[in-house]
Amino acid sequence: MIADGFIAVEAKDSQQVKNIGSDIIKLAKALGVSEKLLSRGSSINEFAEHNEWDTLQEELEATQNEVKSSMQSHADQDLVILMTLGGWIRGTQVVTAAIVKDYSEGSAKVLRQPALVHFMQSKINEISPELRGEPLVKDVSQQLGEIEKLVSFPPDKAPTLDEVRKINTSVAKMMTEIESKELPK
């Protein structure tokens, strides 16, 4: 959601930013995180209303840090790992879509991230066995293995447009699965 917020800020789409601020408030309540995060969602809406784009970007960064901090203070490293992974998946979806739209070898080379994907896979292996056994987490973990192969091209070679499309399709599939997961009531 925060990744989408950054995109909406770049597009100067105040309505989309307000929608994201409202969604952050709902998620904060569902996750039981700090009151400070609830007020950040309200601030995001207020800054969007007044088209304060630089302040909005700072507030989104602070919101992301607040979520991580809140989860870490609750000793919930598992959620921090999953939130970081979700942010990377969404960011990769956005980047690959942009590269597909305006392909160049230079821009496609940024997708070479086998070490990063391998690191995230290792972090999934560190989360609690019960959470790691959740169908969504198991599926994302398996799909990360496939994505690692797709982003493991030689350093001196750019992926083709079709290869970029495959990465985009893979991360888009994961995002659809993540977004369709029902929030706790």
Side-chain angles (χ1 to χ4, degrees):
M1 231 182 292
I2 292 172
D4 288 347
F6 285 118
I7 294 166
V9 167
E10 283 300 310
K12 296 186 172 28
D13 184 342
S14 61
Q15 184 57 53
Q16 184 61 24
V17 173
K18 286 190 269 186
N19 294 345
I20 289 166
S22 297
D23 288 345
I24 287 171
I25 291 170
K26 288 177 197 168
L27 271 180
K29 288 178 181 175
L31 291 172
V33 294
S34 74
E35 287 295 317
K36 196 171 180 183
L37 188 58
L38 292 172
S39 69
R40 288 210 186 276
S42 298
S43 296
I44 288 169
N45 288 341
E46 186 178 319
F47 295 139
E49 186 72 34
H50 297 98
N51 296 324
E52 297 177 40
W53 303 112
D54 290 339
T55 309
L56 258 169
Q57 185 144 356
E58 290 173 14
E59 192 68 8
L60 283 168
E61 289 171 12
T63 301
Q64 184 174 21
N65 291 333
E66 182 68 31
V67 170
K68 286 181 181 179
S69 175
S70 179
M71 289 177 175
Q72 286 171 334
S73 69
H74 289 92
D76 207 339
Q77 193 61 30
D78 290 354
L79 286 179
V80 171
I81 290 167
L82 294 175
M83 185 184 91
T84 302
L85 177 60
W88 178 83
I89 292 167
R90 177 64 178 132
T92 302
Q93 181 186 23
V94 169
V95 168
T96 54
I99 293 170
V100 165
K101 186 175 179 183
D102 188 21
Y103 179 82
S104 78
E105 285 188 2
S107 62
K109 282 184 177 182
V110 302
L111 299 174
R112 186 178 185 283
Q113 299 181 351
L116 178 61
V117 178
H118 182 76
F119 175 77
M120 286 188 289
Q121 187 73 51
S122 72
K123 291 311 245 179
I124 289 176
N125 292 332
E126 292 177 13
I127 62 178
S128 68
E130 68 182 34
L131 189 55
R132 202 171 48 237
E134 286 285 322
L136 178 61
V137 175
K138 285 170 66 174
D139 194 39
V140 167
S141 180
Q142 179 184 350
Q143 290 179 56
L144 266 182
E146 294 303 312
I147 289 173
E148 186 175 359
K149 292 174 192 169
L150 295 172
V151 298
S152 294
F153 49 88
D156 59 340
K157 179 185 175 289
T160 66
L161 180 57
D162 283 340
E163 290 168 331
V164 175
R165 280 191 182 110
K166 284 180 187 175
I167 298 168
N168 180 262
T169 299
S170 293
V171 292
K173 179 181 178 212
M174 283 196 290
M175 278 307 303
T176 300
E177 290 174 25
I178 292 168
E179 290 171 338
S180 68
K181 175 81 172 143
E182 203 170 297
L183 291 175
K185 303 263 188 228

